[in-house]
Amino acid sequence: MKVNGKPYRSIWLNNNGWAVDIIDQTRLPHEFVTRTLETMQDAAQAISVMQVRGAPLIGATAAYGLALALHADAGDTNLRWACETLLATRPTAVNLRWALQRMGFELERLPADMRAKRAYQMAAEICNEDVDINHAIGQHGMDVVRNLWDKKPPDAETFNILTHCNAGWLATVDWGTALSVIYQAHDDGIPVHVWVDETRPRNQGAALTAWELAAHGIPHDVIVDNAGGHLMQHGLVDMCITGTDRTARNGDVCNKIGTYLKALAAFDNDVPFYVALPGPTIDWQMADGVNGIPIEQRDSREVTHVAGKNNDGQVESVQITPDGVSARNYAFDVTPARLVTGLFTERGVCEASESGLLGLYPEQKGPGK
Ligand code: MRU
């Protein structure tokens, strides 16, 4: 997508041909800063501190992190250590494991002197595939949006979509997942308006989704996380679309904390609740998302403090809780499949269930099924 008229992906190979450049998302929306990753540790750090974030981008960064590791030392021990280090950066988004397994499986079978070159190729393939996948998700999702828009009364002026967290191009290599649908619906002439959940504690909605939507000229309003239920009760939400960090085989979807409450409110108010996801976000080994998906717990300081721009234009962090308060920071929750109207994937739209997913990904049925 474009930033000040210049096309960007969220991660790309540096001009030197081996280092990797990223957009430092901790500096948005107030500053647009890029950063160069030169070592595997740089990549691991960028994922841990969330300079890069979002399930598909975490996977892509890990892929390039492995390439950086092998650029330095392509031996077996370093390959294993790099995979372990990168895998430990964040627990919930399954794209991390997917990318490392895909690359590790092939790379460990290659002679050491061929590994680095192939690792860079594979990382680039993962990135390019992600772009194509997300574009296709947007196309399929847009058909559903158009259908719902066509059913609105003729005097309706906007089609109101609520989204949570940031599932835009910044969370992927390009296009985004939930926002890919929104971008393409807007570009296709549907008068989309977006309710952007602020998404405490790290405010990915207020900071990143709002920044992306403004850059693309899409009308939107940032709302506090607790506003969605009220808006739905009053007919002000036509549809919810979120992303997901891991979707279980049974269709349960794990996403940023608070997604579950939006799905409950949507269910209670007959608002369609869709989740957009690339195939690599499906964890086929996870039978039950609610009981099985590991939920990241982050530093309680993210709850007790908020960062923002002060009146002098400086970004600063302020404490909003009493001194010494105890806080817990669960970063994700799981929405049971029964609350999800449907899944937007690169292969089409399906029911959130094992049979729905297997209908689109029959190769995952396994022998004899
Ligand atoms: O903690 P984050 O910012 O990495 O969480 C990101 C999300 O929860 C997104 O909604 C999710 O990764 C899907 S985006 C393609």
Side-chain angles (χ1 to χ4, degrees), residues 1-297:
M1 306 298 269
K2 289 190 179 151
V3 180
N4 298 326
K6 181 176 168 191
Y8 272 92
R9 284 184 174 187
S10 60
I11 188 165
W12 62 98
L13 200 60
N14 185 275
N15 283 339
N16 68 14
W18 62 271
V20 179
D21 288 347
I22 57 163
I23 297 164
D24 182 348
Q25 300 190 23
T26 62
R27 308 287 285 274
L28 288 170
H30 307 301
E31 289 175 296
F32 182 79
V33 176
T34 62
R35 227 173 83 72
T36 300
L37 312 177
E38 296 192 332
T39 63
M40 181 275 289
Q41 290 91 333
D42 286 348
Q45 167 84 353
I47 298 171
S48 307
V49 303
M50 294 175 63
Q51 287 170 339
V52 289
R53 23 84 34 217
L57 180 57
I58 291 171
T61 308
Y64 270 119
L66 194 50
L68 287 167
L70 299 178
H71 175 71
D73 169 1
D76 288 350
T77 309
N78 199 42
L79 172 58
R80 267 195 300 274
W81 179 65
C83 284
E84 281 163 19
T85 306
L86 289 161
L87 192 58
T89 50
R90 293 194 72 190
T92 300
V94 77
N95 306 58
L96 180 63
R97 185 186 79 196
W98 168 84
L100 291 170
Q101 281 182 348
R102 170 165 156 169
M103 290 179 68
F105 182 80
E106 181 174 330
L107 293 169
E108 70 186 1
R109 285 164 177 74
L110 286 179
D113 64 348
M114 293 173 68
R115 284 177 180 164
K117 185 172 176 215
R118 181 67 189 127
Y120 278 101
Q121 281 171 352
M122 291 184 89
E125 283 162 17
I126 284 172
C127 289
N128 291 336
E129 276 173 28
D130 186 62
V131 177
D132 292 344
I133 282 174
N134 297 330
H135 183 262
I137 288 171
Q139 291 281 302
H140 295 301
M142 183 179 68
D143 291 342
V144 174
V145 173
R146 169 136 333 260
N147 208 277
L148 292 170
W149 165 241
D150 287 346
K151 290 189 180 129
K152 282 198 78 166
D155 59 345
E157 288 176 2
T158 53
F159 186 79
N160 299 302
I161 300 177
L162 183 143
T163 192
H164 192 70
C165 196
N166 171 260
W169 70 272
L170 290 168
T172 64
V173 178
D174 208 350
W175 283 105
T177 55
L179 292 201
S180 176
V181 179
I182 290 171
Y183 288 136
Q184 296 189 57
H186 169 87
D187 292 350
D188 210 51
I190 300 171
V192 173
H193 163 268
V194 185
W195 296 114
V196 180
D197 281 351
E198 60 177 347
T199 319
R200 278 278 289 147
R202 289 190 65 112
N203 294 318
Q204 290 96 325
L208 305 176
T209 301
W211 181 81
E212 280 196 30
L213 293 173
H216 205 85
I218 299 183
H220 61 282
D221 287 285
V222 176
I223 51 174
V224 296
D225 284 330
N226 296 326
H230 167 75
L231 296 176
M232 290 185 218
Q233 275 178 331
H234 291 275
L236 295 170
V237 182
D238 295 306
M239 175 187 206
C240 300
I241 314 178
T242 74
T244 167
D245 293 82
R246 189 185 301 223
T247 293
R249 196 178 178 95
N250 67 350
D252 290 351
V253 290
C254 180
N255 192 48
K256 183 54 53 191
I257 193 78
T259 304
Y260 172 42
L261 289 177
K262 293 301 139 63
L264 280 171
F267 190 77
D268 194 42
N269 291 284
D270 283 328
V271 172
F273 187 94
Y274 282 90
V275 177
L277 67 146
T281 304
I282 305 166
D283 184 351
W284 295 102
Q285 296 157 31
M286 180 65 65
D288 173 350
V290 173
N291 292 302
I293 295 178
I295 301 297
E296 178 177 20
Q297 288 195 52

Side-chain angles (χ1 to χ4, degrees), residues 331-343:
F332 297 94
D333 60 27
V334 180
T335 299
R338 68 188 159 78
L339 299 178
V340 178
T341 311
L343 302 174

